[in-house]
Amino acid sequence: MATIHVDGNDYEVEDSDNLLHACLSLGLDIPYFCWHPAMGSVGACRQCAVKQYKDADDDRGMLVMSCMAPVKDDAYISIADEEAKAFRETVIEFLMVNHPHDCPVCEEGGHCHLQDMTVMTGHDRRRYRFRKRTHRNQNLGPFIAHEMNRCITCYRCTRFYQDYAGGEDLGAFGAHDNVYFGRVTDGTLESEFSGNLTEVCPTGVFTDQTHSDHYTRKWDLQFAPSVCHQCASGCNISPGERYGDIRRIENRYNGDVNGYFLCDRGRFGYGYVNRKDRPTRPECREIDGEARTMEVDEALDLAADRLRGARRIIGIGSPRASLESNHRLRQLVGAANFSTGIEAGELARIRRMEALNREAGLATPSLCEIEQCDAILVLGEDLIQSAARVALSVRQAVRGKGAELGAERGIPEWNAEAVKTIAQDAGHPLFLATPDVTKLDGIAAHAERLAPDDIARLGFAVAHALDSTAPAVDGLDAAMSRLVERIADALLAAKKPLVIAGESLGSMAILEAAGNIARALGRRQRSDAGLTLVRREANSVGLGLLGGESLDWALERLETGDADGVVILENDLYTRLPAPRVDSALGWAAAIVVVDHQRTPTWERANIGLPAGTFAESDGTLVSLEGRAQRFYQVFDPSYMRPDTRIRESWRWLHALHATLERQPVETILLDDLTQAVAEDAPALAPLHQNTPEAMFRIHGLKLAREPHRYSGRTAMRADLDVNEPRAPMDLDTPFAFSMEGYAGYREPRREVAFAWAPGWNSPQAWNKFQDEVGGHLRAGDPGKRLFTAAAAGGDYYTEIPAAFKPREGEWQVIDLPQLFGGDDMSRRAEPIRERMTPPQVALNQTDAAELGIGAGDAVSIAVDGTRFRLPARLSAGLPPGVVGLPAGSIQEVTGGLTPAAVRWGAVAKADHDSQAPAGEARP
Amino acid sequence: MSRILQSAGERRAETHPLTWRLHDDQSPVLLEEYLDTQGYAAVTKALEQHTYESLTEEVKSANLRGRGGAGFSAGFKWSLTMKGEGVPRGYIVCNADEMEPGTFKDRLLMEQQPHLLIEGMILAGIANRAKQGYIFLRGEYHLAAAAIQRALADARADGWLGADVRGSGWDFDIALHTGAGRYICGEETALINSLEGKRANPRAKPPFPGQSGAWGLPTVVNNVETLCNVPGIVNHGADWFQALSGDLSSDGGTKLYGVSGKVNNPGLWELPMGTTGNRILELAGGMRDGLTLKSWLPGGGSTGFLLPEHLELALDFDTIGKTGSRMGTGLLTVVADNQSMVSLTRNLEEFFSRESCGWCTPCRDGLPWSVKLLRALEAGEGEAGDIELLEQMARDLGPGKTFCAHAPGAAMPLASAIHYFRDEFERGITRPKGEAHADPIPVGSV
């Protein structure tokens, strides 16, 4: 610690910080642009100048850039010094020389860091009277709009895009006052993290293109703290709504989880909420009849009548629905009749992952903790595709070597360019074992391309190398043995080694191999090692913890006539088990009630369909892959702007259905009671009752505002429906109000923040005000409750080591390759994500392709699991011979029902030239 | 081609260590002749008699100050280079990106005597335990490039470069890199970035290149003329070097001085450090065409304008520094009384504005604005307040306020021109304050 004297006041600060970081953390305002809490200092913009004095007697001092000035004990500085103030104002004036002053038509306006800093410095008169330089803008794809004339050349975009996120197609061009940030030519930005440019850019150069299509100013949006539902990473988001539509998703800071950054699927995949074809009223479908919409009471009565006729009712839950909704379904049907809605193999692997997280002896790191790891082994996961935000953290872990090298030469971590220089290509070791090339290969110490079974064998061998009592793997060749030694040495040499595996390849063996490594590290007393296991869906972990049978079990109940009534919650069964099986099982059911927010093939099979809220219209709890239970809050009440809609939270439907079924009046239920019930019913979820502010949480007696206090038009926005302004919807379930009335400040501690705003800070940089130190944790603690605590090292090693993969004559192992864009059933319904998707292709090893006479783009005929379809070929330099890869998720659109499966073999051939069916089409 | 105006007869080994071998016909001194005239003797001596510490100490005590313009002690710089056990061997980089307006001294040395530079670099390599040297050469210097390439090949063939230099067991080689034409590459850290293939933006210091330079390794960047002085120091010692300037200056050695502008004999002279401007102007034959000297720049476009009365000062780093200007490269640019200070300043600022790398705000956005103001004054369209605004800009582009020394260098001629010749600027003011604020771009114009 060090004492610094700022304008006559003394403060204790960290001596490893720079002055800007220290002052901002103290709550003192210094304007800045090029500095970013996650990206450090580069000294480019010169905005953060302060006066530094030699000692208490020095009254002249000299200007320093606070971001580049290390904290020194007993340092005297002044922010208020007139020369410093004048210089900061001048810098804004310089930045404005070519800025178009187009705030009224700029989509950054209202959450613009440049506006905030301009006001902060007091620059309000333009003296520049000459022509401004102009640029041509580029088409950067469906996500990002580009308006280079607004650029103030802070270099944050390229520093984030290239240095932080590893992108290569956005750079700085030109020189002097003609620096251009863009691509070499127009085209879609390749990075999976491009959306962060909209928040990293301090002005309106990079803005959210999806927001632009239905633009609303920040102050006119209604927000709630939410959690991304598009994968299992558990990133915190702040969706903004207006007129009943989600307008954009912005990052919600969580110092433990996503920090400042999201992936593009999470940020731009919200379009399914706004789809016009969503069910908004209950529907009843008689046998072979058209669907008929109806009122809530009629639907509940009809559904209850139907279900009453059933001998036994089973419930099929969903890993994309909240714990509360799943639990409410379980209460409706009884624990013995509840299925998690997860295919048996996947459910077994989810349970195994949970057991490993608890019992393998290693902690499950948060995303923030992953960034501190210094040796990482990834078994089977293409992280950019399967859990992109995890991949971004892994990238930071590798880059962490630079900070370590810098420290050896006295270069502080925040001195970003100097750290980059000293690091050059050095990184903490990352070992990747995946079937196909990945976008992390470039920073890996080694990337090995293997079939799933061989990935497991590699893992088992590493465990054996770490601890000779772990089972050995026979028959590894010399090169593989050397790699095994190298990996084991790197993991042992590290302070915080990390093993990552997951669900992508549907391989239990890979999980068990990862488990053996974890146990071996545990036995080598590496208690600070970590184990990260990637699940497929937002609440896969939660469903595992809640308990319940597999989807296969549920279908079997229907097939055997054991049950003939089924209530299906937010789950499209056709994405999980082959269509003929689902068809047949549902065919036996006398009553099918589906609660969902999308028109899925399963919805179309419902006798009664009840329109559910998406994450944006519901509250609930998800458990992320690190075992963090996090509550998401309803963003808006859909019936306020659309009175005809009957969308309700799934749990509310299920509660009402339950009561109706039992001929009881439907009593009011509260979310907290549901969460409490979850905590009581599932021991693993017991800590949940401490998770959130309860509905009665108040600050100064106030609820928390969902809307900024400048929210405009409330009295007019429904005027076309009714000249009387209705009362704002009540929210009894949470501490938030559907209103600008309520607490929206930063001084009082709270974990759940709907939108970041502080006086003078309208941009996302306002998060500074909520943090214990800038870039640190929220002052009230980061949201979420961690459910996994690692046990002491122990447990037996797994011993079932698969045989080495051998290509088969005339048959190929067909594996699913995860896809960030298109791999998730919900975000795939969002138009911008569809635009960004690669059309489904089959990936083939180059040698295999040559033998089959298949060239890139040629139509390939594939027969697998009784399905036959054609796809264009993608030749892969990575895939091992004998293995072909299909794009997970989006493949289902092509095949009409090829569902994920662990191990399957299929026939692959060059498609018949005479065939009329175009590539990418299913054939019977 | 750069020209030395002293004849071969005037230049002697003891008094003209940089130029004594040069031919009157300006043909390059080739390896054989160089070896015949004590060439590479300093390398042999250093390899036999010096440790890297003692070699650094010799250069340090000679007080050889950087001839690129900053005047920083070369020996002191070398003593700060990280080296020794466990430290990877880094680089010696010769800053040969001579692009300072009005400067043409390094060119002479490289075109006509590249072996002297190579010898200096080998010595710097020994002193700094570098593994590789780079000559970062201004791209337009194609004659120098050809001369250096030949000299490198000859030196390598003769064992002065490459593995096991002259049987000493020590490896060192030099590569030539020609720049793509940015003035900022003369800034040592921008030069390093450019050498690495990156944008030529300067780097933050600390860390200094001696700590973390090219590719993150310890790196020493020295100017051509600085390095060319090293063989003499090693051969004859620090005292000899100090004595070269006699009583003229506390800085030792000789200096390549030169003059450009409206004088009778523009060119270069090797003279003792501390020679006065009057003496140099005299050698240049005085002003031509009966013109009168109005002002002069002591050492390139990034130094401050001085008046004729300053010609009596010794041209060394400290003396000129006291006037508020800098000695810079020591090549004088003279301004005649019929030349407009406003136009001259505008010309210089246009250059500096164009050559800004675009990294920091005051330089990137301030300099182009200053050019527009100067153009307005030049065209007689200035408004009241413009001069004060230019003065404010000169302050806001000053040391410490910008990322590197580029903008402070640009501010120096601007501030000094206004300081000494304010009346010339005032003549450009024709409008009251605020009048020109009317939008100069007609509505609807694209």
Side-chain angles (χ1 to χ4, degrees):
Chain A
M1 297 298 281
T3 304
I4 58 171
H5 316 277
V6 185
D7 292 316
N9 298 311
D10 297 346
Y11 302 96
E12 288 287 308
V13 296
E14 284 293 331
D15 46 15
S16 57
D17 287 342
N18 57 67
L19 283 175
L20 177 61
H21 184 113
C23 289
L24 291 172
S25 295
L26 293 168
L28 305 171
D29 285 350
I30 301 176
Y32 60 86
F33 289 108
C34 64
W35 176 84
H36 185 284
M39 296 193 288
S41 309
V42 292
C45 73
R46 320 308 278 177
Q47 186 61 67
C48 64
V50 298
K51 189 67 85 62
Q52 183 157 24
Y53 303 90
K54 281 202 281 288
D55 50 46
D57 301 326
D58 178 10
D59 57 4
R60 292 194 57 190
M62 64 179 290
L63 289 188
V64 296
M65 299 308 132
S66 56
C67 74
M68 298 298 283
V71 163
K72 288 202 182 85
D73 194 30
D74 206 26
Y76 287 81
I77 68 164
S78 171
I79 300 169
D81 170 77
E82 286 304 323
E83 188 194 355
K85 275 167 66 180
F87 182 71
R88 294 196 298 259
E89 191 178 337
T90 298
V91 170
I92 290 279
E93 185 173 22
F94 284 150
L95 291 172
M96 287 293 175
V97 159
N98 289 305
H99 187 80
H101 296 259
D102 62 340
C103 303
V105 297
C106 174
E107 294 183 1
E108 193 78 357
H111 64 135
C112 176
H113 187 61
L114 178 59
Q115 284 180 329
D116 288 348
M117 298 300 101
T118 305
V119 172
M120 190 180 289
T121 60
H123 167 69
D124 60 0
R125 293 287 182 283
R126 176 152 60 124
R127 289 185 291 179
Y128 181 77
R129 63 174 188 269
F130 306 99
R131 261 179 199 257
K132 289 173 186 268
R133 174 267 293 123
T134 53
H135 287 299
R136 182 188 154 275
N137 303 317
Q138 290 183 323
N139 178 346
L140 299 177
F143 296 158
I144 304 291
H146 194 220
E147 174 46 87
M148 258 307 293
N149 292 321
R150 298 178 185 138
C151 180
I152 56 158
T153 326
C154 70
Y155 292 86
R156 266 187 182 184
C157 56
T158 51
R159 291 178 56 228
F160 170 77
Y161 198 90
Q162 298 179 352
D163 301 346
Y164 196 93
E168 291 171 350
D169 62 322
L170 180 95
F173 302 88
H176 50 88
D177 62 343
N178 191 38
V179 180
Y180 188 87
F181 297 94
R183 285 169 43 90
V184 173
T185 56
D186 284 38
T188 300
L189 288 171
E190 291 165 8
S191 170
E192 292 76 11
F193 307 99
S194 67
N196 298 300
L197 292 175
T198 66
E199 295 190 44
V200 161
C201 176
T203 174
V205 177
F206 299 101
T207 51
D208 181 340
Q209 181 73 57
T210 71
H211 185 202
S212 184
D213 294 340
H214 45 213
Y215 182 72
T216 306
R217 294 260 179 241
K218 177 178 180 177
W219 66 68
D220 278 342
L221 288 170
Q222 174 162 256
F223 301 94
S226 191
V227 176
C228 182
H229 278 50
Q230 269 51 73
C231 86
S233 300
C235 297
N236 290 196
I237 54 172
S238 176
E241 172 269 354
R242 180 88 179 174
Y243 292 113
D245 284 338
I246 293 295
R247 301 301 173 113
R248 70 161 193 200
I249 284 180
E250 205 164 66
N251 183 69
R252 175 164 68 105
Y253 187 85
N254 183 320
D256 270 347
V257 186
N258 45 298
Y260 289 92
F261 305 119
L262 299 175
C263 80
D264 286 357
R265 183 205 270 182
R267 186 185 296 269
F268 301 118
Y270 61 85
Y272 66 93
V273 176
N274 299 340
R275 281 183 74 99
K276 297 297 169 236
D277 64 352
R278 267 183 65 186
T280 58
R281 294 173 76 84
E283 290 178 9
C284 169
R285 194 177 284 97
E286 302 301 339
I287 306 293
D288 295 331
E290 285 290 299
R292 176 172 69 86
T293 61
M294 63 191 68
E295 272 304 334
V296 170
D297 287 348
E298 186 188 353
L300 289 172
D301 288 342
L302 273 176
D305 282 348
R306 276 241 173 212
L307 291 172
R308 273 189 213 106
R311 287 189 304 282
R312 178 182 176 189
I313 308 165
I314 57 168
I316 299 179
S318 169
R320 66 169 157 91
S322 68
L323 282 177
E324 286 81 356
S325 294
N326 276 290
H327 184 257
R328 200 65 199 72
L329 174 61
R330 194 169 86 158
Q331 284 188 318
L332 191 160
V333 297
N337 297 317
F338 178 72
S339 156
T340 56
I342 302 170
E343 181 267 329
E346 184 177 358
L347 185 60
R349 290 186 294 273
I350 287 172
R351 297 224 162 103
R352 183 60 53 84
M353 287 192 263
E354 182 203 331
L356 288 173
N357 281 135
R358 289 186 188 286
E359 296 157 13
L362 300 191
T364 303
S366 66
L367 295 186
C368 167
E369 287 162 345
I370 288 176
E371 295 178 3
Q372 311 302 319
C373 292
D374 54 353
I376 300 179
L377 169 63
V378 181
L379 294 176
E381 288 297 309
D382 180 350
L383 289 171
I384 294 260
Q385 306 299 335
S386 65
R389 187 62 188 79
V390 175
L392 192 62
S393 288
V394 166
R395 195 180 150 72
Q396 305 323 309
V398 173
R399 292 177 73 218
K401 180 75 178 176
E404 192 180 290
L405 292 172
E408 287 170 12
R409 304 227 192 140
I411 301 167
E413 188 173 0
W414 48 258
N415 193 343
E417 288 290 320
V419 167
K420 192 170 123 189
T421 296
I422 197 96
Q424 295 291 312
D425 295 330
H428 284 313
L430 167 67
F431 298 95
L432 302 172
T434 55
D436 203 356
V437 293
T438 81
K439 285 180 83 174
L440 285 178
D441 291 357
I443 55 165
H446 186 87
E448 187 74 14
R449 297 287 98 86
L450 296 168
D453 281 351
D454 288 338
I455 293 171
R457 287 168 61 79
L458 172 72
F460 279 113
V462 169
H464 177 71
L466 290 167
D467 175 9
S468 58
T469 67
V473 179
D474 296 330
L476 293 184
D477 63 22
M480 192 59 77
S481 299
R482 278 195 303 277
L483 177 61
V484 166
E485 288 301 322
R486 198 176 151 206
I487 294 170
D489 289 349
L491 293 177
L492 278 180
K495 293 188 205 74
K496 289 186 178 179
L498 173 66
V499 182
I500 301 179
E503 170 62 20
S504 289
L505 294 171
S507 164
M508 186 68 94
I510 291 177
L511 298 176
E512 293 181 348
N516 274 14
I517 299 173
R519 292 207 160 102
L521 285 170
R523 289 187 189 181
R524 297 290 296 261
Q525 310 302 318
R526 304 313 308 269
S527 55
D528 39 9
L531 176 66
T532 291
L533 297 169
V534 176
R535 281 73 156 182
R536 225 157 49 86
E537 293 170 89
N539 207 11
S540 297
V541 177
L543 264 283
L545 297 175
L546 185 64
E549 302 287 347
S550 70
L551 179 58
D552 307 58
W553 170 89
L555 296 192
E556 212 174 286
R557 297 284 76 67
L558 297 172
E559 286 158 354
T560 57
D562 199 10
D564 55 355
V566 58
V567 182
I568 303 170
L569 166 68
E570 298 183 39
N571 200 337
D572 180 10
L573 312 186
Y574 291 90
T575 63
R576 299 181 189 272
L577 283 172
R581 171 133 197 240
V582 177
D583 276 336
S584 132
L586 293 181
W588 289 104
I592 306 172
V593 178
V594 174
V595 188
D596 206 346
H597 47 76
Q598 301 293 323
R599 266 178 214 287
T600 66
T602 303
W603 173 274
E604 303 299 340
R605 293 298 307 267
N607 304 121
I608 310 288
L610 302 174
T614 62
F615 72 91
E617 300 124 339
S618 312
D619 315 285
T621 306
L622 300 179
V623 186
S624 72
L625 58 83
E626 58 151 317
R628 180 181 296 267
Q630 301 185 101
R631 186 173 270 192
F632 60 95
Y633 294 82
Q634 186 177 0
V635 182
F636 65 103
D637 177 346
S639 61
Y640 184 71
M641 286 309 301
R642 298 189 178 116
D644 288 343
T645 187
R646 298 294 178 264
I647 288 172
R648 303 282 188 271
E649 300 94 329
S650 292
W651 47 261
R652 206 179 291 283
W653 276 121
L654 294 165
H655 169 73
L657 181 58
H658 194 180
T660 311
L661 198 57
E662 295 186 345
R663 303 185 196 281
Q664 300 290 320
V666 179
E667 287 176 6
T668 302
I669 48 161
L670 293 173
L671 178 69
D672 281 331
D673 298 338
L674 288 175
T675 312
Q676 195 70 35
V678 174
E680 281 163 14
D681 273 10
L685 294 162
L688 266 190
H689 67 270
Q690 325 157 355
N691 188 22
T692 51
E694 314 236 352
M696 292 314 294
F697 178 87
R698 298 289 184 273
I699 289 177
H700 301 315
L702 296 171
K703 291 198 87 169
L704 306 175
R706 277 186 172 87
E707 296 162 1
H709 63 249
R710 293 175 185 137
Y711 192 87
S712 67
R714 189 168 84 180
T715 55
M717 59 199 297
R718 278 180 98 267
D720 60 326
L721 302 172
D722 186 348
V723 292
N724 296 310
E725 184 201 347
R727 184 177 174 186
M730 293 288 101
D731 185 350
L732 302 175
D733 294 304
T734 80
F736 288 92
F738 294 106
S739 170
M740 72 286 276
E741 291 152 25
Y743 186 77
Y746 66 93
R747 290 180 195 279
E748 298 301 329
R750 56 182 175 132
R751 289 149 73 99
E752 302 293 355
V753 182
F755 58 92
W757 182 85
W761 297 80
N762 297 281
S763 81
Q765 300 293 313
W767 285 109
N768 289 350
K769 297 290 183 185
F770 292 82
Q771 297 160 339
D772 55 0
E773 63 166 323
V774 289
H777 299 282
L778 296 190
R779 264 186 285 123
D782 290 313
K785 176 79 193 168
R786 295 173 88 165
L787 302 178
F788 293 153
T789 42
D796 292 334
Y797 284 114
Y798 298 104
T799 54
E800 277 182 45
I801 300 172
F805 174 77
K806 282 198 189 64
R808 293 186 190 170
E809 193 64 39
E811 247 191 334
W812 279 260
Q813 185 175 359
V814 182
I815 60 171
D816 288 336
L817 299 174
Q819 308 289 311
L820 185 67
F821 302 116
D824 157 58
D825 296 334
M826 291 300 113
S827 61
R828 197 166 65 240
R829 291 166 175 265
E831 200 46 48
I833 298 288
R834 296 197 73 81
E835 278 182 57
R836 184 71 172 76
M837 260 167 64
T838 309
Q841 296 170 317
V842 54
L844 283 155
N845 172 279
Q846 284 167 338
T847 319
D848 286 355
E851 280 176 18
L852 293 167
I854 294 169
D858 285 355
V860 179
S861 149
I862 301 138
V864 61
D865 283 0
T867 318
R868 201 181 166 76
F869 50 93
R870 283 160 44 111
L871 282 177
R874 170 170 72 81
L875 302 195
S876 163
L879 275 181
V883 176
V884 297
L886 297 177
S890 59
I891 187 67
Q892 295 181 0
E893 294 186 358
V894 177
T895 61
L898 186 71
T899 49
V903 178
R904 60 183 162 210
W905 294 79
V908 175
K910 185 165 184 174
D912 186 354
H913 280 295
D914 301 331
S915 162
Q916 294 300 306
E921 221 173 68
R923 293 203 295 164
Chain B
M1 195 166 258
S2 219
R3 215 151 58 91
I4 183 104
L5 295 188
Q6 292 149 314
S7 70
E10 292 174 71
R11 291 180 266 112
R12 295 192 306 279
E14 313 83 70
T15 52
H16 296 74
L18 298 175
T19 60
W20 65 280
R21 297 185 185 89
L22 298 190
H23 305 151
D24 281 343
D25 68 359
Q26 300 168 30
S27 59
V29 177
L30 299 179
L31 180 65
E32 196 178 347
E33 182 188 350
Y34 188 69
L35 288 170
D36 287 347
T37 51
Q38 302 171 36
Y40 291 110
V43 172
T44 307
K45 183 175 176 184
L47 287 171
E48 285 170 2
Q49 300 175 17
H50 277 292
T51 63
Y52 67 87
E53 288 109 334
S54 68
L55 190 55
T56 299
E57 199 46 47
E58 184 87 71
V59 176
K60 198 170 163 182
S61 58
N63 191 24
L64 169 60
R65 297 183 65 174
R67 303 302 201 240
F72 191 78
S73 161
F76 188 57
K77 194 186 237 184
W78 294 3
S79 71
L80 298 175
T81 310
M82 279 182 65
K83 47 189 176 281
E85 271 314 297
V87 180
R89 288 172 60 190
Y91 304 100
I92 291 296
V93 179
C94 170
N95 185 345
D97 197 45
E98 187 178 56
M99 228 182 283
E100 184 64 33
T103 301
F104 41 91
K105 64 182 179 67
D106 297 339
R107 180 178 174 185
L108 173 90
L109 296 169
M110 293 186 289
E111 285 176 350
Q112 298 180 32
Q113 197 180 202
H115 285 291
L116 184 64
L117 172 61
I118 292 168
E119 185 173 10
M121 285 184 72
I122 296 171
L123 294 167
I126 296 169
N128 292 284
R129 291 174 61 89
K131 64 176 176 184
Q132 174 73 43
Y134 287 100
I135 299 172
F136 191 105
L137 180 68
R138 178 176 176 179
E140 292 88 341
Y141 279 8
H142 59 99
L143 296 174
I148 290 168
Q149 283 295 24
R150 161 131 197 220
L152 287 174
D154 289 350
R156 206 172 285 125
D158 204 39
W160 297 102
L161 291 173
D164 191 17
V165 171
R166 299 297 281 187
S168 65
W170 184 74
D171 305 336
F172 183 75
D173 210 336
I174 297 175
L176 175 69
H177 175 93
T178 50
R182 301 297 309 181
Y183 171 76
I184 195 63
C185 291
E187 200 282 341
E188 62 175 0
T189 55
L191 182 155
I192 290 171
N193 270 336
S194 180
L195 186 66
E196 289 185 21
K198 296 176 182 155
R199 288 175 63 79
N201 296 335
R203 293 176 177 176
K205 295 186 270 194
F208 292 91
Q211 253 179 299
S212 171
W215 296 281
L217 296 180
T219 301
V220 177
V221 184
N222 285 134
N223 167 260
V224 175
E225 188 185 349
T226 312
L227 288 165
C228 286
N229 271 304
V230 177
I233 294 171
V234 175
N235 280 330
H236 308 302
D239 293 341
W240 161 85
F241 186 77
Q242 267 298 325
L244 285 173
S245 58
D247 299 333
L248 295 176
S249 171
S250 57
D251 297 340
T254 60
K255 177 81 193 76
L256 275 178
Y257 290 108
V259 181
S260 63
K262 297 192 175 184
V263 292
N264 285 307
N265 295 315
L268 284 166
W269 300 268
E270 183 179 2
L271 300 168
M273 182 63 95
T275 303
T276 63
N278 276 327
R279 170 69 186 143
I280 296 165
L281 206 51
E282 188 184 315
L283 287 166
M287 299 299 287
R288 76 173 195 230
D289 306 333
L291 293 166
T292 310
L293 179 76
K294 175 159 78 176
S295 181
W296 56 290
L297 289 166
S302 63
T303 59
F305 286 104
L306 292 173
L307 297 175
E309 68 201 54
H310 296 115
L311 285 170
E312 65 193 29
L313 297 174
L315 272 166
D316 66 20
F317 294 107
D318 297 339
T319 312
I320 299 298
K322 284 185 191 120
T323 66
S325 182
R326 301 186 305 132
M327 182 174 83
T329 61
L331 273 76
L332 284 53
T333 304
V334 302
V335 184
D337 55 357
N338 66 349
Q339 290 175 292
S340 158
M341 291 307 294
V342 178
S343 297
L344 180 51
T345 308
R346 188 265 305 149
N347 184 306
L348 281 172
E349 297 309 322
E350 240 168 26
F351 171 81
F352 290 117
S353 166
R354 191 183 69 227
E355 295 301 329
S356 166
C357 77
W359 180 248
C360 78
T361 305
C363 179
R364 178 187 64 240
D365 292 323
L367 285 175
W369 188 1
S370 78
V371 170
K372 285 171 183 166
L373 287 167
L374 288 165
R375 279 203 203 115
L377 293 176
E378 210 181 353
E381 293 168 0
E383 67 172 43
D386 281 357
I387 296 172
E388 290 73 19
L389 186 53
L390 283 168
E391 285 177 318
Q392 187 205 327
M393 271 185 210
R395 284 193 298 276
D396 288 334
L397 294 169
K401 295 178 175 170
T402 58
F403 191 81
C404 79
H406 179 84
M412 221 174 217
L414 175 64
S416 55
I418 297 175
H419 177 69
Y420 290 123
F421 304 98
R422 193 180 184 98
D423 55 329
E424 290 193 38
F425 288 82
E426 279 171 351
R427 268 176 249 145
I429 307 267
T430 56
R431 302 174 182 188
K433 189 175 178 69
E435 191 192 80
H437 270 276
D439 191 344
I441 306 171
V443 173
S445 147
V446 179

